[in-house]
């Protein structure tokens, strides 16, 4: 096998209460990439369509993640990478993670799978470091493992795949502004109160229990963020209104997707998720803000090969 064409899913990180530790992969939106094994050493980005992003290997998240993988194996050749971006950069649904995970997942396959999925997470995190200044794993882990994932520990890296309830759907709306993850991290406080901590880890535990027992009410009750959302939501137009109308339309819960500006809601069943999409769209239509909207079931496989 010399080349692979793949689908690299968008992801929702944080999932309200799990800043930097929880994430989920989506099915309805993602990038496409073609990775070719070549004789020449190193990584070259040979095509990049759909977004205005750097093609220099050291400035591109796929390039940097790929180099991290190459540094840990004795393969003498290199790889060429084509990236067809469908996920907008700075949208909050894991655009950089899709590119960095796609590169390392396909390279690993083409090399005969010398690395574990957790090792691939570690390489892809180098792409996140380039994109946001911090090597967080909450987008790259679900893209590589599929479904919901928990980063139980960063040092050592310990990723726990979590059950995905079969009727759970995500609705994501992206108001057409760009929020850089690096900027939306700078505004966060570095200390939290014990009182907020108690509420937050109660919700993380509740969400994990709800995902395993497929208790949709418990999932909804646990989608609360006492720490990050109150600060970041000020960067997102009409956040409170989008959230309240989504809940009125039947969503289980609603919050900021990753570092924003996208807003996500979870619903039980596609019908409610579509109603929530309409409610979200109405808010932005009324105030004249352009948007993209996605309704997606959970992608339990993560990155997958597609036909050329
Ligand atoms: N956990 C990261 C953040 C995700 O919220 O900054 C970025 O998509």
């Amino acid at each position: 096998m010399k080349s692979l064409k793949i689908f690299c899913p968008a992801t929702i990180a944080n999932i309200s209460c799990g800043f930097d530790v929880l994430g989920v992969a989506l099915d309805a939106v993602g990038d496409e990439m073609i990775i070719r094994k070549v004789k020449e050493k190193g990584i070259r980005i040979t095509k990049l369509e759909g977004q205005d992003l750097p093609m220099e290997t050291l400035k591109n998240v796929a390039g940097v993640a790929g180099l991290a993988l190459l540094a840990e194996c004795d393969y003498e050749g290199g790889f060429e990478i084509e990236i067809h971006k469908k996920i907008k950069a700075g949208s909050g649904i894991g655009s950089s993670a899709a590119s960095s995970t796609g590169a390392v997942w396909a390279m690993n396959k083409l090399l005969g799978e010398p690395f574990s999925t957790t090792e691939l997470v570690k390489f892809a995190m180098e792409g996140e470091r380039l994109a946001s200044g911090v090597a967080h794993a909450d987008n790259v882990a679900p893209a590589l493992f599929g479904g919901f994932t928990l980063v139980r520990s960063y040092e050592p890296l310990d990723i726990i795949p979590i059950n995905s309830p079969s009727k759970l759907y995500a609705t994501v709306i992206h108001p057409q502004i760009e929020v850089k993850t690096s900027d939306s991290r700078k505004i966060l406080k570095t200390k939290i109160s014990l009182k907020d901590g108690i509420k937050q880890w109660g919700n993380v535990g509740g969400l994990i229990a709800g995902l395993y027992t497929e208790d949709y009410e418990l999932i909804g009750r646990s989608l609360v963020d006492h720490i990050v959302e109150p600060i970041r939501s000020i960067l997102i137009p009409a956040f409170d209104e989008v959230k309240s109308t989504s809940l009125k339309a039947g969503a289980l819960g609603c919050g900021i997707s990753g570092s924003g500006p996208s807003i996500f809601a979870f619903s039980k069943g596609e019908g409610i998720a579509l109603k929530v999409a309409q409610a979200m769209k109405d808010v932005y239509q009324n105030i004249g803000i352009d948007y993209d909207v996605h309704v997606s079931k959970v992608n339990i496989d993560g990155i997958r090969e597609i036909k050329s």
Side-chain angles (χ1 to χ4, degrees), residues 13-14 19-20 92 136 138-139 181 184-185 232 258-259:
N14 300 335
F19 179 70
D20 273 2
H136 54 87
D138 48 343
N139 289 106
T181 300
S184 68
R185 291 185 80 93
R232 280 186 172 167
S259 55

Side-chain angles (χ1 to χ4, degrees), residues 11-14 18-22 91-97 128 132 134 136-139 154 180-182 184-185 188 228 232 256-260:
T11 44
I12 298 170
N14 300 335
F19 179 70
D20 273 2
V21 299
L22 287 174
S91 57
I93 51 170
S95 177
S96 54
E128 296 295 68
S132 71
V134 179
H136 54 87
D138 48 343
N139 289 106
Y154 273 88
K180 286 209 168 74
T181 300
S182 49
S184 68
R185 291 185 80 93
L188 299 178
V228 175
R232 280 186 172 167
I256 302 172
S257 178
S259 55

Side-chain angles (χ1 to χ4, degrees), residues 264-276:
F264 82 96
F266 284 159
S267 300
K268 184 178 180 184
E270 191 176 19
I272 299 176
L274 289 166
K275 273 190 204 148
V276 170

Side-chain angles (χ1 to χ4, degrees), residues 200-219:
Q200 199 82 358
W201 54 66
N203 282 315
V204 174
L207 181 53
I208 302 287
L211 291 169
Y212 270 107
T213 56
E214 312 216 352
D215 180 339
Y216 293 88
E217 294 300 316
L218 175 56
I219 292 169

Side-chain angles (χ1 to χ4, degrees), residues 46-261:
T46 52
K47 201 186 250 188
L48 205 165
E49 287 179 350
Q51 291 285 289
D52 188 15
L53 292 165
M55 286 179 72
E56 297 97 310
T57 304
L58 287 173
K59 291 187 183 162
N60 183 287
V61 295
V64 167
L67 288 175
L69 181 149
L70 280 187
E72 296 215 7
C73 64
D74 48 16
Y75 168 57
E76 294 290 323
F79 291 90
E80 288 178 355
I81 301 178
E82 275 186 29
I83 309 173
H84 302 265
K85 294 294 299 174
K86 309 269 167 80
I87 311 172
K88 290 186 179 150
S91 57
I93 51 170
S95 177
S96 54
S99 302
S100 54
T101 54
V104 298
W105 186 88
M107 286 168 63
N108 190 47
K109 281 255 178 235
L110 293 168
L111 291 171
E113 305 198 49
F115 297 108
S116 70
T117 310
T118 299
E119 286 172 313
L120 298 182
V121 169
K122 194 184 66 175
F123 301 139
M125 284 167 68
E126 292 308 313
E128 296 295 68
R129 191 193 304 281
L130 176 69
S132 71
V134 179
H136 54 87
D138 48 343
N139 289 106
V140 296
L144 285 161
F145 279 89
F148 282 86
T149 52
L150 167 73
V151 186
R152 191 205 57 81
S153 155
Y154 273 88
E155 281 177 31
L157 191 59
D158 187 5
I159 313 284
I160 317 291
I162 307 289
N163 180 60
S164 302
S166 56
K167 297 192 183 96
L168 198 68
Y169 275 75
T171 308
V172 179
I173 192 153
H174 173 210
Q176 301 292 286
I177 56 166
E178 186 180 341
V179 173
K180 286 209 168 74
T181 300
S182 49
D183 293 335
S184 68
R185 291 185 80 93
K186 274 185 211 142
I187 62 171
L188 299 178
K189 292 184 201 152
T190 52
K191 292 199 168 80
I192 62 164
S193 69
L194 185 58
K195 206 170 139 202
D196 283 343
I198 291 166
K199 290 190 267 187
Q200 199 82 358
W201 54 66
N203 282 315
V204 174
L207 181 53
I208 302 287
L211 291 169
Y212 270 107
T213 56
E214 312 216 352
D215 180 339
Y216 293 88
E217 294 300 316
L218 175 56
I219 292 169
R221 289 204 301 285
S222 308
L223 290 174
V224 185
D225 176 5
H226 294 279
I227 294 168
V228 175
E229 184 178 296
I231 300 170
R232 280 186 172 167
S233 56
I234 54 171
L235 301 174
I236 303 173
F239 175 80
D240 292 339
E241 213 185 328
V242 172
K243 182 167 176 166
S244 61
T245 52
S246 299
L247 296 174
K248 261 189 231 142
L252 300 165
C254 177
I256 302 172
S257 178
S259 55

